[in-house]
Amino acid sequence: MRTRYSSLVSVKKNIMQKSERVLQAKNAALHNAKEALQNSLDALNEIQPPQNGIIADFLSNRALLDSGRSVIHHNEGWVVFAQREVEEAKEQLKRDMIEYEKYQYLELQEIEAIKKKEKIKEAKELDEVALMTFMKKERSA
């Protein structure tokens, strides 16, 4: 049954579904960021310092460790950023769901009011038919 809220309900539903897709994408990005952080931590742990050798080996190992730490720091920032985006997407989804439910409730209320009016109209029509039938019987009797 179409009401004045039907089109708004469908628009709000589309907006809510879009917010759900955005949240899924943000969750995937967060997962990727956490995975990249874990990979960089694992890579740093795999670096073995040289036990002996020339100073160039020690310096190259130190540069490799510094590079690994830099990547870890970058990935930690990425995780924090992705977590913030997920929280913002959740809040947006929550607002969109509230809007959708609000208009859906209004549509249901209007549908109930229309049904109630139709029942009253039908009852009046049945009363009218019964009255006409009764009057017809009275005249013929």
Side-chain angles (χ1 to χ4, degrees):
M1 182 179 295
R2 298 283 302 169
T3 66
R4 62 184 169 171
Y5 296 108
S6 296
S7 58
L8 280 171
V9 169
S10 64
V11 167
K12 295 297 181 180
K13 184 176 182 179
N14 289 340
I15 291 171
M16 182 186 69
Q17 289 172 338
K18 180 182 175 195
S19 293
E20 287 173 342
R21 288 189 301 272
V22 167
L23 178 60
Q24 288 173 348
K26 301 295 182 184
N27 277 328
L30 176 60
H31 176 72
N32 290 340
K34 286 182 177 180
E35 193 173 293
L37 177 61
Q38 186 60 45
N39 290 341
S40 59
L41 288 170
D42 292 343
L44 186 68
N45 288 335
E46 290 175 4
I47 298 173
Q48 296 296 324
Q51 299 300 320
N52 55 27
I54 58 174
I55 193 72
D57 292 339
F58 287 100
L59 291 176
S60 66
N61 185 270
R62 182 174 165 189
L64 190 58
L65 287 173
D66 288 343
S67 173
R69 287 185 190 113
S70 173
V71 169
I72 288 172
H73 180 70
H74 173 267
N75 288 340
E76 286 173 341
W78 185 18
V79 167
V80 169
F81 175 76
Q83 286 174 334
R84 194 173 329 118
E85 281 194 327
V86 165
E87 289 303 315
E88 289 172 4
K90 283 181 183 178
E91 288 298 317
Q92 183 63 43
L93 177 61
K94 184 178 176 182
R95 287 190 298 269
D96 291 341
M97 288 177 76
I98 289 171
E99 282 290 311
Y100 170 69
E101 290 173 5
K102 178 172 54 174
Y103 284 107
Q104 189 177 29
Y105 175 78
L106 290 172
E107 181 182 38
L108 290 175
Q109 291 298 319
E110 189 164 319
I111 288 171
E112 289 299 319
I114 290 170
K115 285 181 180 178
K116 187 176 179 180
K117 285 180 184 178
E118 286 177 354
K119 281 184 181 181
I120 291 172
K121 182 180 175 185
E122 186 178 330
K124 285 181 181 179
E125 288 174 358
L126 287 175
D127 286 346
E128 228 176 270
V129 169
L131 183 62
M132 288 191 316
T133 306
F134 177 75
M135 294 302 275
K136 197 176 202 181
K137 284 183 183 178
E138 285 290 316
R139 286 187 201 147
S140 63

